[in-house]
């Protein structure tokens, strides 16, 4: 028997759920199909860090601002706790200070401030930070626990918005808005395919045209130390990785210095993000390794580099890992995301950088508005 609905979404990661949400806001009935009974991909393996400051200048920064607003509205309705807000970036080197000073002069510096070490220590006497030159404080970010938030979002869409999540099945073909799965067919007026880093599944030729490959990351959870961080934390290495900073002219000088002082970390794609969970444990990452078929192994030397990066900034917090995991996301050298009508009525959306949690709600609004000829951008 063929199931019927207005809209079919393939994938229950954040990109699929964001499309489902946009579609129900436009008044459509929605079915979601995923091969697993619960989300297992990048969307539950990340930091849960909805990051604005540091996103690439222009479109990505604007998308992140919008998506952050959607998260702020949806989270309380869906029972998702916002565990931390804002961001602190410590600049340990004078070259990093120059990057932050340039950053705050741009439009991306809106409502961000540079604070002295003395002022920061006065506000946060319990936190043992390595001496630094200046810190950037951003008010924009939100941090949720991704592994809890994604299932809660699913439950909320199901209960409050009538989204139907079908039995787990592989989607094996989509044509003229008919979706073939390993458990039968589903028909909809529009289909949104949100497959994450599934490169060789649906529409592999589209993935290949966008040169999509995978980025593999190592992640650690460290035991609680009893200290509460006021916000998520980044430091110098992030300023040469996150494009909102690394695209600034001054970042080049910082990179030259880091190439000498932290060569091994840069080679492993290590930079520092530290976020804190409700139980006080820290999620610390990450490494970056590119290729279409990453190995499932997590060598200790790379984890050790992450701990070294943490010691560079928060030495007292580098406790033993209590959990380790690997994640991977879709990545393309051509741009941070794409959405294409791959067949009439079938739209495929892939976030091809590591910023899907920070942008998916805004990307989905754009894609669904265009596909269903409706305007969701301003409606709250
Ligand atoms: C370790 C790590 C840290 C990160 N940190 C951050 C961060 O702090 N902030 C941020 O903004 N982003 C972060 N990201 C990136 C972010 O997690 C991703 O951009 C985002 O989760 C991608 O969402 P998605 O829905 O496209 O993919 P996924 O979450 O992988 O979901 C895709 C889903 O599609 C399903 N699927 C695919 N093909 C089929 C098929 N043929 N049939 C049925 N089902 C199918 C899969 O089963 C899967 O559930 C991080 C990523 C990782 C891995």
């Amino acid at each position: 028997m063929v199931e019927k609905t207005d809209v079919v979404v393939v994938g229950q990661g954040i990109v699929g759920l964001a499309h489902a949400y946009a579609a129900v806001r436009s008044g459509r009935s929605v079915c979601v199909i995923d091969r697993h009974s619960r989300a297992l991909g990048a969307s539950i393996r990340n930091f849960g860090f909805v990051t604005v400051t540091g996103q690439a200048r222009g479109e990505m920064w604007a998308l992140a601002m919008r998506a952050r607003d959607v998260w702020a509205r949806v989270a309380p309705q869906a029972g998702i706790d916002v565990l931390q807000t804002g961001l602190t970036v410590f600049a340990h080197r004078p070259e990093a200070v120059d990057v932050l000073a340039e950053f705050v002069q741009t439009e991306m510096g809106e409502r961000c401030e540079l604070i002295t070490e003395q002022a920061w220590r006065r506000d946060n006497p319990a936190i043992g930070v390595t001496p630094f030159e200046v810190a950037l404080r951003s008010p924009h970010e939100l941090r949720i626990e991704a592994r809890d938030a994604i299932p809660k979002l699913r439950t909320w869409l199901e209960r409050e918005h009538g989204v139907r999540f079908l039995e787990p099945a592989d989607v094996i073909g989509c044509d003229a808005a008919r979706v073939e799965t390993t458990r039968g067919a589903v028909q909809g007026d529009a289909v949104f395919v949100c497959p994450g880093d599934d490169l060789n599944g649906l529409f592999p030729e589209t993935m290949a045209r966008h040169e999509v490959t995978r980025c593999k990351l190592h992640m650690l959870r460290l035991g609680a130390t009893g200290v509460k961080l006021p916000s998520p934390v980044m430091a110098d290495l992030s300023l040469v990785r996150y494009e909102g900073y690394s695209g600034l002219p001054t970042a080049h000088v910082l990179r030259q210095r880091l190439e000498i002082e932290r060569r091994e970390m840069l080679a492993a794609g290590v930079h520092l993000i530290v976020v804190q969970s409700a139980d006080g444990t820290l999620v610390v990452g990450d490494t970056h390794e590119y290729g279409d078929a990453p190995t499932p192994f997590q060598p200790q030397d790379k984890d050790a580099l992450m701990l070294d990066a943490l010691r560079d900034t928060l030495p007292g917090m580098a406790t033993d890992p209590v959990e380790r995991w690997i994640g991977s996301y879709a990545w393309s050298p051509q741009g941070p995301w794409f959405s294409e009508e791959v067949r009439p009525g079938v739209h495929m959306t892939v976030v091809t950088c590591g910023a899907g949690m920070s942008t998916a709600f805004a990307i989905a609004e754009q894609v669904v508005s265009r596909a269903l000829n409706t305007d969701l951008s301003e409606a709250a």
Side-chain angles (χ1 to χ4, degrees), residues 13-15 34-35 42-43 46-47 49 171 195 198 329 354-358:
I14 187 59
V15 178
D34 197 290
R35 61 166 59 98
S43 302
N46 58 53
F47 293 92
F49 190 27
V171 174
D198 198 29
Y329 57 71
M357 287 298 270
S358 308

Side-chain angles (χ1 to χ4, degrees), residues 10-16 33-36 39-43 45-49 51 169-171 194-198 202 217 219 286 327-329 351 353-358:
V10 181
Q12 62 172 330
I14 187 59
V15 178
I33 311 169
D34 197 290
R35 61 166 59 98
H36 301 298
L40 293 176
S43 302
R45 299 177 189 219
N46 58 53
F47 293 92
F49 190 27
T51 318
D170 259 48
V171 174
C194 310
D197 69 343
D198 198 29
L202 296 167
L217 302 92
M219 300 284 281
D286 44 14
S328 79
Y329 57 71
V351 177
C353 65
M357 287 298 270
S358 308

Side-chain angles (χ1 to χ4, degrees), residues 70-82 142 144 153 156 361:
V70 178
W71 270 111
R73 173 164 47 83
V74 163
Q77 294 177 37
I80 297 168
D81 292 330
V82 173
L142 297 181
I144 43 97
L153 206 50
W156 177 70
F361 276 126

Side-chain angles (χ1 to χ4, degrees), residues 53-64:
T53 297
Q55 296 295 350
R57 195 169 190 171
E59 185 199 27
M60 285 302 276
W61 185 87
L63 286 169

